[in-house]
Amino acid sequence: MEEMDVVIVGGGVAGLGTSLALHRKGIKSVVLERAERVRSEGAALGVHPNGWRALEELGVADKLRRSNSVPLHRFRSVFYENGKRHETVGPAAYGAVNCLKRNELVKALAEALPEGTIRFGYGLVSANIDETSSFPILRFKDGRSIRAKVVIGCDGSNSVIADFLRMNPTRAFGSRAVRGFTSYPDGHGFQPEVVTMKMENVLCGRLPVTDRLVFWFTYFPHYSQQESEISRDREAIAELTKGSTKDLPEEWREMVKNCDVSSLYMSSIRYRPPWEILVGKFRRGTVTVAGDAMHLMGPFLGQGGCAALEDAVVLGRCLGKKLGQGHVFPPRKGMVEEAIDEYVRERRKRVFALSTQVYLTGKLVGASSGVAKVMLLVLLMVLFYDQIRHTRYDCGKL
């Protein structure tokens, strides 16, 4: 059985960001990823000011800012009700939002890590406590086993590490989203803004990435069994999306029609209820979680990736105080547990507020009852009167 000090399960944004945060604090870690290469599902993500602050602490912000992504300062919402067009306009964030290709972000994080940090082909099956050492043992599909001093689960919505922590399974909103890119060789001419358009049971969004590339999504509050079965057939996803947007304005129909089919990604929208985040246990021994494994939320605020980057910085800071430069490794087990508890305390309040706002927004988007819509709107106005306040959050120094 192989033995390691700090193991991070999952090589997505949370896993790579956490490893980089630890590296910058002088703590060596190993990232075990089930795929054969760095994952980049989801096409793109919005990076809000709070996400940029985290990226600055991780040392990759300047590199990513050179990607020519368009700063988006305005949010415009267009919706049709009883045949009438309504529009609201406001700031997208306290500062600008940038839409980045997910593979550019994970590539920047991966390239900043020491060579050999990421190991591929590690499909985790289970995690257990070694009765002799009281440290966790990880078992993988190919029969390999690893005993680690510290384990950080960044393994997404179906997290094996979350199961080990006895967290409840994530829940489904009962909806799906399609995401993709459309290229405009001569320029798209769209304003630098985040735009959403809602008509009946379809919600679409558009974010310019560069002057020639647009990221878009289509959200289906209700979907059939047939639709759920085509999630891996990109041609079928394209046809489904064309059909669902046939009544939208021409520029939206053309955007979907001319998309890069190979970029299409369809997924079920799942979440971890905010009340579980408020009272859940996120540590067992020297094991914890970060990113979606901890606080999976819907895409309605575009904060999933930013929150994962915040996790990385906070966890790196907390562990760095106990295990960083100048400390002997492995430390006393209690020191690791104290560091993780500090991380959990700091993150719980933040992700509870985010998850609550996302949960209420998601319920509002999918609500069919007029009474339910009014109640949800009132709750959002009372609890989140400043609906972009979350973009001003500062996770602090690493």
Side-chain angles (χ1 to χ4, degrees), residues 23-35:
H23 169 63
R24 291 175 67 85
K25 298 299 287 187
I27 303 170
K28 182 180 178 181
S29 66
V30 175
V31 178
L32 303 180
E33 165 56 39
R34 71 173 186 272

Side-chain angles (χ1 to χ4, degrees), residues 174-188:
S175 54
R176 284 186 175 266
V178 174
R179 305 170 178 90
F181 290 119
T182 301
S183 296
Y184 296 79
D186 299 322
H188 50 67

Side-chain angles (χ1 to χ4, degrees), residues 111-361:
E111 289 180 348
L113 290 169
E115 186 175 352
T117 298
I118 311 170
R119 301 187 186 183
F120 300 102
Y122 279 79
L124 183 62
V125 174
S126 66
N128 304 98
I129 291 292
D130 180 7
E131 294 182 1
T132 303
S133 65
S134 297
F135 286 119
I137 294 179
L138 307 177
R139 303 188 188 280
F140 300 88
K141 287 182 179 179
D142 59 6
R144 286 178 288 190
S145 297
I146 293 174
R147 179 164 45 223
K149 306 294 190 306
V150 183
V151 174
I152 303 166
C154 301
D155 45 342
S157 60
N158 297 312
S159 170
V160 174
I161 301 302
D163 291 342
F164 169 79
L165 295 177
R166 303 189 182 104
M167 295 167 62
N168 292 328
T170 57
R171 304 188 187 189
F173 269 114
S175 54
R176 284 186 175 266
V178 174
R179 305 170 178 90
F181 290 119
T182 301
S183 296
Y184 296 79
D186 299 322
H188 50 67
F190 297 136
Q191 293 296 312
E193 60 185 3
V194 180
V195 183
T196 62
M197 179 168 289
K198 189 174 190 303
M199 181 179 287
E200 296 181 354
N201 285 328
V202 177
L203 172 67
C204 293
R206 182 183 71 212
L207 294 83
V209 181
T210 67
D211 293 336
R212 292 179 171 81
L213 183 67
V214 170
F215 169 67
W216 56 267
F217 64 86
T218 302
Y219 175 75
F220 304 93
H222 310 286
Y223 63 93
S224 67
Q225 180 62 32
Q226 180 182 1
E227 290 168 357
S228 68
E229 292 172 353
I230 68 170
S231 60
R232 297 187 182 278
D233 184 340
R234 287 189 170 91
E235 293 291 344
I237 294 172
E239 291 304 314
L240 170 66
T241 311
K242 288 177 190 176
S244 69
T245 57
K246 66 182 187 308
D247 296 326
L248 295 184
E250 182 179 359
E251 67 180 33
W252 290 81
R253 298 197 307 271
E254 289 297 308
M255 180 179 68
V256 173
K257 178 182 176 182
N258 298 325
C259 73
D260 176 3
V261 175
S262 67
S263 73
L264 293 181
Y265 179 75
M266 186 178 194
S267 62
S268 171
I269 305 301
R270 303 190 66 83
Y271 68 100
R272 192 171 296 286
W275 52 90
E276 291 185 4
I277 289 173
L278 183 62
V279 301
K281 289 190 65 177
F282 297 119
R283 178 185 68 79
R284 184 179 170 191
T286 58
V287 181
T288 191
V289 283
D292 284 350
M294 183 186 200
H295 48 68
L296 180 68
M297 59 186 81
F300 308 107
L301 297 184
Q303 279 288 334
C306 293
L309 292 167
E310 292 175 5
D311 292 343
V313 172
V314 175
L315 185 50
R317 179 171 65 238
C318 292
L319 286 173
K321 291 178 183 178
K322 304 287 184 179
L323 322 180
Q325 295 171 352
H327 293 277
V328 177
F329 204 97
R332 180 172 53 84
K333 183 170 178 281
M335 292 174 62
V336 179
E337 295 173 344
E338 289 168 9
I340 293 175
D341 285 342
E342 183 178 345
Y343 155 72
V344 171
R345 280 193 300 272
E346 183 168 344
R347 294 304 292 157
R348 192 186 299 276
K349 181 179 178 181
R350 164 65 170 167
V351 296
F352 170 69
L354 273 179
S355 296
T356 301
Q357 189 174 356
V358 170
Y359 174 78
L360 293 174
T361 305

